[in-house]
Amino acid sequence: GAVELDLPPAYREACPQRTSRTMNPTAAGLKVEEIDGVTRVGFVDRNILDEANIQQIGEELSRIVEASPRPRLLICFSDVEHLSSAALGALIKVGHAVSARDGQLRLSDIRPQILEVFKITRLDQMFEIHDNAGEAMGTFG
């Protein structure tokens, strides 16, 4: 049988039990993990500028969205230093796809110079943007 360990509460809180499966980076250079029913996506590359790569990223994100009846997606930009306008276009498509499936999309950890582009293009109004992934994770209903 299973052995129940009597752990002090502080330890239990510091180590929440969560179902997480981390996958190897996809062909498109995405790091995808499933945490408590939320698909968290990060980027391997610091610069998301290459047209062909952006198309792959867009297709990969579309697959993730379409795999769920009501997707809950967090896209984390912590490692990203540069985004092209094509990458923004791909994000807009993903945003529409998530909305169409009555899902939830959050963006987090966007560097100030990239956030500036979101503000200029008013994408900061289209997307729900959080300072960090932890804060964003707490907003999924």
Side-chain angles (χ1 to χ4, degrees):
V3 179
E4 277 295 312
L5 291 176
D6 190 25
L7 298 173
Y11 184 85
R12 277 199 301 268
E13 283 158 27
C15 302
Q17 292 299 316
R18 63 178 196 190
T19 54
S20 172
R21 76 193 152 79
T22 304
M23 296 191 277
N24 292 331
T26 64
L30 297 178
K31 295 178 283 194
V32 183
E33 60 180 342
E34 206 52 58
I35 304 171
D36 298 332
V38 174
T39 304
R40 182 172 158 177
V41 178
F43 299 90
V44 176
D45 298 322
R46 295 194 166 282
N47 302 315
I48 304 174
L49 303 168
D50 178 76
E51 211 56 55
N53 182 242
I54 290 163
Q55 194 174 343
Q56 274 190 310
I57 288 171
E59 287 166 8
E60 190 65 37
L61 289 170
S62 294
R63 271 198 291 280
I64 291 167
V65 170
E66 285 159 19
S68 170
R70 291 187 65 198
R72 296 161 77 202
L73 186 60
L74 167 60
I75 303 178
C76 180
F77 289 87
S78 56
D79 298 323
V80 177
E81 289 173 7
H82 300 284
L83 271 186
S84 72
S85 57
L88 294 176
L91 269 181
I92 292 168
K93 270 195 196 151
V94 170
H96 289 310
V98 170
S99 295
R101 297 177 84 86
D102 197 27
Q104 299 173 60
L105 173 63
R106 310 282 186 267
L107 308 183
S108 75
D109 301 275
I110 300 176
R111 290 173 191 249
Q113 69 270 25
I114 296 177
L115 194 55
E116 199 52 44
V117 176
F118 276 79
K119 288 179 176 160
I120 291 166
T121 54
R122 297 191 179 275
L123 289 178
D124 61 324
Q125 291 165 25
M126 176 179 172
F127 295 110
E128 190 173 317
I129 299 173
H130 296 274
D131 289 342
N132 59 64
E135 179 189 300
M137 287 295 287
T139 67
F140 285 94

